[in-house]
Amino acid sequence: MPRTTPLHPAPSPAEVQPSASAAPPLVGARLPRRAALAALLLPLTACAAEPEPATGAGSAADAPAPGADSAAEEDAVTVAEAWVKAAEEHMTSAFGILRNDTDTDLVLRGARTDASARVELHETASDGSGGMSMQEKEGGFPLPAGEELILEPGGNHLMLMEIAAPLLPGDEVELILEFEDGTEHPFTATVKDFAGAQEHYEPEGSTGTGASDGGGEHAAEHEDDE
């Protein structure tokens, strides 16, 4: 019987032996899953490591707003119920309630406004004959810490000398108070009609009134304004 040669010769044991460098099939299948997991965890780790913005006491959000101190100082002196007596010429008076909410005693030494050539501080005193007369207050008005200074008809007041234009009811006048320590305080006063407190002005008791007319006429003007 003739010999037949097998079409596919059986492999030798050396050929069947797996190569030492070949990776097991299961190990090769696990590597892609681990690599994918590592790629997924990497951005999460980076996010967790990112520092959060500071919110402590020293952060910029807690810092006081610029100008807060100056705003508080401006509110330390207040003027309430401010008004000016209506007048068409010459002079008139300004009134109100000044309050010192600082912890320092102040002295009001003057005031100014564009509505008049100058402003004088006037006080009212007895004229010795049963009436009242007004004169410029020497040394200014003291305004102790935590107290009030009342400017009113028949009492202490601001005298607007030589007004620049008629001041009619409803007008508003901008004034600035000047204190002895160099500080200033602006305020607005409303012009009102008023016909009370008929005191007269005493030129002899005043310092630097600057009246251009005679004493009698000046006195009559002040009487009309007050």
Side-chain angles (χ1 to χ4, degrees):
M1 185 172 183
R3 260 177 94 173
T4 60
T5 302
L7 296 176
H8 300 285
S12 66
E15 293 175 341
V16 176
Q17 180 94 19
S19 171
S21 60
L26 290 179
V27 175
R30 289 175 185 167
L31 284 177
R33 289 198 298 271
R34 290 182 181 177
L37 181 60
L40 179 63
L41 292 178
L42 184 59
L44 297 178
T45 305
C47 292
E50 185 177 348
E52 296 182 358
T55 57
S59 66
D62 296 331
D69 291 341
S70 59
E73 290 200 4
E74 287 180 1
D75 294 335
V77 175
T78 57
V79 180
E81 303 177 24
W83 64 284
V84 172
K85 183 176 187 266
E88 293 189 359
E89 58 182 356
H90 301 308
M91 65 189 76
T92 189
S93 302
F95 313 99
I97 302 174
L98 282 59
R99 179 166 182 82
N100 178 9
D101 286 325
T102 72
D103 56 2
T104 304
D105 294 342
L106 300 174
V107 178
L108 179 63
R109 294 301 302 269
R112 66 181 187 271
T113 177
D114 291 338
S116 68
R118 66 186 184 282
V119 179
E120 296 179 357
L121 307 184
H122 283 195
E123 62 179 348
T124 304
S126 172
D127 61 5
S129 60
M132 303 296 291
S133 64
M134 283 165 289
Q135 60 189 21
E136 191 170 3
K137 173 67 174 177
E138 295 185 11
F141 293 131
L143 183 54
E147 297 189 15
E148 293 178 344
L149 169 63
I150 298 177
L151 305 177
E152 60 184 349
N156 299 328
H157 58 278
L158 304 179
M159 200 71 195
L160 280 62
M161 312 294 290
E162 301 176 20
I163 60 177
L167 298 177
L168 305 178
D171 291 345
E172 291 189 340
V173 178
E174 303 291 334
L175 296 103
I176 299 176
L177 300 176
E178 302 170 342
F179 293 94
E180 189 175 52
D181 63 356
T183 59
E184 299 182 342
H185 181 81
F187 71 98
T188 302
T190 301
V191 179
K192 299 180 180 180
D193 272 326
F194 185 73
Q198 298 297 319
E199 302 91 351
H200 69 276
Y201 182 71
E202 185 62 47
E204 292 79 8
S206 174
T207 57
T209 60
S212 58
D213 50 12
E217 185 178 353
H218 190 187
E221 291 172 359
H222 201 301
E223 181 177 349
D224 291 341
D225 289 332
E226 291 297 318

